[in-house]
Structure formats: C-alpha cells, structure tokens
Amino acid sequence: MRLLSVLYLVFHSTILLSQIGFNRTYDQNGGAEVGKVILANDSSFLVAASILDSSFSVSILLERMDLFGGVLKSMVLRKDSHDLRLLGLKSLIQTQDGNYLISGGIENRATSTRRGLLIKFSQELDTIWLKTYQLGSHMVEFGPILELPNGDIVTTGYYVSSINTNPEILFSKFSSTGEIKWFQTLGTSNSEVGFSLSPTFDGGFYIGAQVERTSSFDKDPYLLKIDSTGAVEWDTIFGGSMADGPAIVTTTLTGKSLVATHFADSTSGNITFYGKPWILEFNELGEVVWQKKYGRNLRGEPSAIQQHLDSTISIVGNYQDGNPSESIVGWVAKTTQNGEMLWEVQFVPNPGSADNGNSYLRGLALISNKSIAVCGFTQPSTGQDLWVAKLDSNGCYDPNRNCWVSTEEYTEIPEGTFKMWPNPAKDRVWISLPEQPMAGTLRFFSITGQQLREESISKSDPREVGLTIQDWAPGMYLVRWEPLEGPTMEGKILVETR
C-alpha cells in the first residue's frame, strides 16, 4: 500500500479535502463572544472574536486557520486604558488588496461616550491603520461593513445624537484609507439599530435593522432599501406584537432581499431569544415574495444567512427546545430557494461532554455548495471559548455519523485517485493520474470559474504530467480531471506568492 504525505492533495470523486469537517473550541482564558468567519482568497479561514478578560477589558482576536481548523497565526489587539475600552467587533471582511477590515466601537469611560471603530490589518495580521469616529454624536458604533468596487467603505450601525435621545440607524461612507466622506441617519422616530448590510444590483444597499416601539417587549424587524447616496427608496417594518428579532439581510442571486429573523408568538413568549426562525424573501419593491416560519417547539434565533450558487440557502443561529431548562445549542439549516427545509441540525462543540453550557453560532462562510464554516462561542464552566466548525452539505462534521466520507489524514491512495505536488506551488506543478490507462482532459479554473487551461491526455501518455504555472497569479485554483470513462474528479491547488 502506498502512503500519502499530508503535503499531497488527494482527489477522488467522493473524497475531497474541501469536505473534511471539524468541530473545535479554542480556549481563550477569558470570555470569547460574537465570532465572525470568512474564507480568505488563499482558502484559509480568518476568524475574529471579542475576548473579555477577568478585569472586563475587551480585546479583539484574529486567527488564521487552515481547512482542518489548525491555527496558522494568531493576533490579539487590545486598545484599553484607564479611559478607553473596546466594545468588541461587529464585522469582518477581506478587502480587494488582500488585507482585512473589521468594525466595532470604543467607549470613553470618563465621558460615557462611544465612537465607531475601523481597523485594517495586513495579510500577516499586522495593524495597517486604526481609526475612531465620533461624527458629532454622543454615541456611535459601527456594525456590518462592505467594500465598494472603487475601494470605498460603507458601514451601518447606530447613532445617538445626545443623551436621552433614541438611537438612529447610521449609514456612513469612507475612503479606502478610512477617511470619512459622509454619513446619514435613517429610520423612524422610534429606536432603531442597523444589524446587517448587503449590496443591491443597482448600486444601492439593503439594510437589515430592528425597531423598538414602546418597550423592549415590542420590537420588529425593519428592512430598508437605500440608493448609493444613502437616500431611502423604500422601507418596511414587519412582525408581531412581541419582541421579534432584527432583520439579517443578504442579496439573492436574482437581486432580491432574503431576510432571516425570529418571530415571537404566544407560544414562544416575550423573551427576545425565544423566537421561532422566520425567513422571508422581498422583491426589489419591498413586497414579500414568500415567507416561512419553522415551528414545533423550536425556540431559535438566526444570526446569519447566505445563498449558495445552486440557489439553496444556509442559515445559522441558536436552538433551544421548548423546555427553558435545556441548554442552548448551535443550529444550522439548509433550505431550497423557496425556504422549504432540506435539513436542520443542532450540535454542540464537545458532544458527550457534560460541560458544554450554552453554545451560540454567530458567523457563516460559504466554502462551496458542499460545505460551510460556522463560528461562535460556547460557555463551559471554565469561561467562554471560541467555537469554529466546518460542515458538509448535509450538516455533518463527524465521520462517525455515517454521513461523512473522509478523515483528516489519509494512509493510502484509494483506487481511482490522483495527486498533485507541490501544494502549495509556485512555478510548476506535477499531477499523478490514476495508474489505469485512461484518456481524458485536465482542466484548470480560477476560483471564479473561468477556465484558464486544458490538457488532453491520451492512454499512451505518461501518468505524471508536469505543468508550468509561472504566469498564474497567487491564489486558489480548481483542477478537474474528466476521463472519457468513469467519474469526474476535482480538487484545488494553492499558488503561492513568488
């Protein structure tokens, strides 16, 4: 039996490295919370979290992880003094130059004022710039952020003009270096906070928010469509008479808005968390196309939603059975493009342990139509730990659940596979095809699906093929072997910076 080095990438019609799952916690010696995850251009994960220590000082944690959950690099930022305190992070994106941007807030303890916070990090997780923004207000805090094609940055959040005034939805625009260009406040005369932000096909934006009417027990999801200048084109408030959740919005493949929230009814009570997941699609005019509430005894709170390229929808959040004494667990669901449930799973970081406490999922990143990454935090008796998991298209991370086909380490090359090396590569890559003589075509694609090259292979050609890739830009590429007979095999190779 031939042994395969872990440096090699194995390709098989049913065994792909991108499908290998994990479910791990990372002890932060304090209180990890929030949790955001993105898939970087080099196919590593970047995970961000807020960390609260025993003295109630808040730090921001950034960790780069490989596809198996191994930590490649870690960085902790603390901007804490006698007067200043970080409020934590709210959003994480990768910018067009390959660097990273996070948003959040910072508090002045002496004056009880708050400022919006933007921090840009390099790919090596070094701080490029850090800027705070008062914007003439008493309190301001940034939430989700987006980068525009020209490099400008937009963000939403909340704005409080002075003491004893209601918060308003904030929409701000900055240059690529963080200089403020303008800001707008939006909403009604009630209390509103912006929770999510997604671009529209016409250059505008959807803002998902929450409005509080007469009390904390009367909250509703609030969806706005604004143009590129921040002017409101339409808005809609929807929900019941109890404490419904905020609108978490994403743009669909057809330009509509897809909203995840939770609906509090007479069976789920007034407590904000105790709501049933509620998914709605709105057209470009703000009219409901379809909506689904997921009932039973489910008490769930969606925190992120995204649509895959095959039009299916992934949702993550929290779940608690109808019994309030039960622990809160992570919840992941997948639906059709019309909200019909395909599957849902509830799981915890350490199955079988009696010390999971409550576990919350907050972040979602799409890896492919076959897998997703999720992150959040868990509350064992020792504190709060960062929680990151990677699941396949059926919500599985554990090979022992009979819905998983791969493990983290291979000891032999199954029949009908091939390998590539070196991986990562710089100037040249070798591909070893299956030993059984077979004609076919090797195709190479960019991560966006553009075919870059193809090689026709005959039965008489050598089984090892060497290719020069000096003209390929650094990044991830898809390689597909299409034999004339038998299943297609595909996988990925990373081209390093030279």
Side-chain angles (χ1 to χ4, degrees):
M1 305 293 283
R2 293 179 297 171
L3 297 183
L4 176 62
S5 166
V6 295
L7 296 176
Y8 291 159
L9 184 63
V10 178
F11 294 79
H12 190 263
S13 57
T14 58
I15 302 180
L16 301 177
L17 285 184
S18 63
Q19 291 182 323
I20 296 173
F22 62 84
N23 181 28
R24 298 183 180 178
T25 57
Y26 303 82
D27 186 1
Q28 302 303 324
N29 297 316
E33 59 180 12
V34 185
K36 300 293 180 183
V37 59
I38 61 173
L39 182 66
N41 292 341
D42 62 0
S43 287
S44 64
F45 295 130
L46 190 71
V47 176
S50 299
I51 306 297
L52 180 66
D53 64 21
S54 58
S55 63
F56 299 100
S57 295
V58 178
S59 303
I60 293 176
L61 169 72
L62 289 178
E63 288 194 332
R64 183 192 295 277
M65 299 180 182
D66 60 28
L67 290 177
F68 309 110
V71 177
L72 303 174
K73 187 163 186 178
S74 183
M75 185 281 301
V76 176
L77 173 72
R78 173 175 291 178
K79 187 166 179 65
D80 203 41
S81 65
H82 178 72
D83 291 331
L84 295 179
R85 181 176 75 93
L86 278 171
L87 297 174
L89 74 102
K90 296 295 184 182
S91 187
L92 165 69
I93 64 170
Q94 184 168 33
T95 52
Q96 298 171 50
D97 58 9
N99 297 314
Y100 305 101
L101 189 67
I102 66 173
S103 66
I106 194 166
E107 181 181 53
N108 188 312
R109 291 169 171 165
T111 62
S112 297
T113 57
R114 294 183 176 184
R115 300 176 183 177
L117 174 69
L118 293 177
I119 312 175
K120 190 162 188 179
F121 296 94
S122 71
Q123 296 180 57
E124 299 302 316
L125 306 187
D126 298 316
T127 302
I128 298 176
W129 51 259
L130 183 155
K131 297 184 180 181
T132 64
Y133 308 83
Q134 195 69 57
L135 304 184
S137 70
H138 174 63
M139 287 187 179
V140 61
E141 189 171 359
F142 296 153
I145 45 179
L146 292 173
E147 185 186 31
L148 305 182
N150 66 355
D152 284 349
I153 302 160
V154 292
T155 180
T156 186
Y158 71 84
Y159 180 97
V160 179
S161 58
S162 59
I163 298 176
N164 298 324
T165 59
N166 288 331
E168 303 171 85
I169 297 169
L170 175 69
F171 184 72
S172 312
K173 189 173 186 179
F174 307 85
S175 70
S176 60
T177 56
E179 302 302 320
I180 183 70
K181 289 192 170 184
W182 50 261
F183 70 92
Q184 300 266 22
T185 57
L186 312 168
T188 69
S189 59
N190 296 294
S191 298
E192 298 103 9
V193 175
F195 279 86
S196 56
L197 181 64
S198 191
T200 61
F201 286 5
D202 61 2
F205 305 92
Y206 294 120
I207 295 179
Q210 186 179 47
V211 57
E212 181 179 314
R213 299 179 189 270
T214 57
S215 73
S216 60
F217 292 129
D218 187 7
K219 297 180 180 180
D220 289 311
Y222 184 20
L223 179 65
L224 303 89
K225 166 69 166 63
I226 63 174
D227 65 19
S228 59
T229 68
V232 177
E233 296 184 358
W234 55 258
D235 61 352
T236 179
I237 298 173
F238 50 101
S241 60
M242 298 184 182
D244 301 316
I248 308 300
V249 64
T250 189
T251 305
T252 70
L253 300 177
T254 58
K256 300 181 179 68
S257 55
L258 190 63
V259 172
T261 184
H262 61 271
F263 178 81
D265 60 16
S266 59
T267 63
S268 57
N270 279 326
I271 301 174
T272 302
F273 174 75
Y274 292 161
K276 297 177 180 179
W278 185 19
I279 311 300
L280 309 91
E281 185 180 70
F282 295 82
N283 64 19
E284 294 85 342
L285 300 177
E287 302 165 332
V288 175
V289 179
W290 58 262
Q291 59 178 303
K292 300 285 184 182
K293 295 187 180 83
Y294 306 101
R296 304 175 308 159
N297 291 325
L298 176 65
R299 295 178 174 182
E301 179 188 34
S303 56
I305 183 170
Q306 290 195 48
Q307 187 173 36
H308 295 262
L309 293 178
D310 65 357
S311 296
T312 57
I313 299 165
S314 283
I315 315 155
V316 304
N318 311 316
Y319 168 95
Q320 187 179 34
D321 204 346
N323 184 354
S325 65
E326 295 291 330
S327 295
I328 298 168
V329 300
W331 177 68
V332 181
K334 194 168 189 179
T335 76
T336 68
Q337 61 182 336
N338 297 318
E340 300 296 334
M341 185 68 72
L342 295 173
W343 52 259
E344 58 178 306
V345 294
Q346 302 89 40
F347 67 108
V348 294
N350 300 295
S353 171
D355 190 26
N356 276 298
N358 292 327
S359 302
Y360 301 86
L361 288 177
R362 291 288 186 259
L364 165 66
L366 305 184
I367 303 171
S368 68
N369 286 340
K370 295 184 177 298
S371 56
I372 61 173
V374 297
C375 74
F377 60 98
T378 185
Q379 298 174 318
S381 59
T382 54
Q384 290 188 180
D385 296 332
L386 179 65
W387 176 24
V388 184
K390 184 179 165 194
L391 294 79
D392 73 355
S393 58
N394 293 314
C396 300
Y397 63 85
D398 185 350
N400 295 319
R401 292 181 60 188
N402 297 323
C403 54
W404 205 258
V405 295
S406 55
T407 59
E408 289 190 13
E409 188 171 346
Y410 294 92
T411 57
E412 65 175 322
I413 301 176
E415 181 182 357
T417 63
F418 65 97
K419 63 184 180 183
M420 291 174 36
W421 74 94
N423 192 21
K426 289 186 177 181
D427 302 316
R428 191 171 178 82
V429 62
W430 289 87
I431 300 175
S432 179
L433 299 173
E435 289 187 353
Q436 180 182 4
M438 187 178 298
T441 304
L442 274 172
R443 301 185 192 276
F444 299 82
F445 301 86
S446 69
I447 200 68
T448 61
Q450 178 186 7
Q451 181 170 317
L452 304 175
R453 183 172 179 174
E454 68 175 55
E455 296 286 337
S456 296
I457 308 296
S458 69
K459 288 185 177 182
S460 59
D461 285 336
R463 294 294 93 186
E464 290 189 354
V465 180
L467 301 174
T468 300
I469 55 173
Q470 289 177 329
D471 57 341
W472 292 11
M476 184 64 65
Y477 294 86
L478 175 71
V479 182
R480 181 180 298 159
W481 167 237
E482 300 176 354
L484 294 181
E485 299 177 4
T488 296
M489 309 172 193
E490 62 180 24
K492 295 177 181 178
I493 186 171
L494 177 63
V495 176
E496 290 184 317
T497 302
R498 300 171 181 85

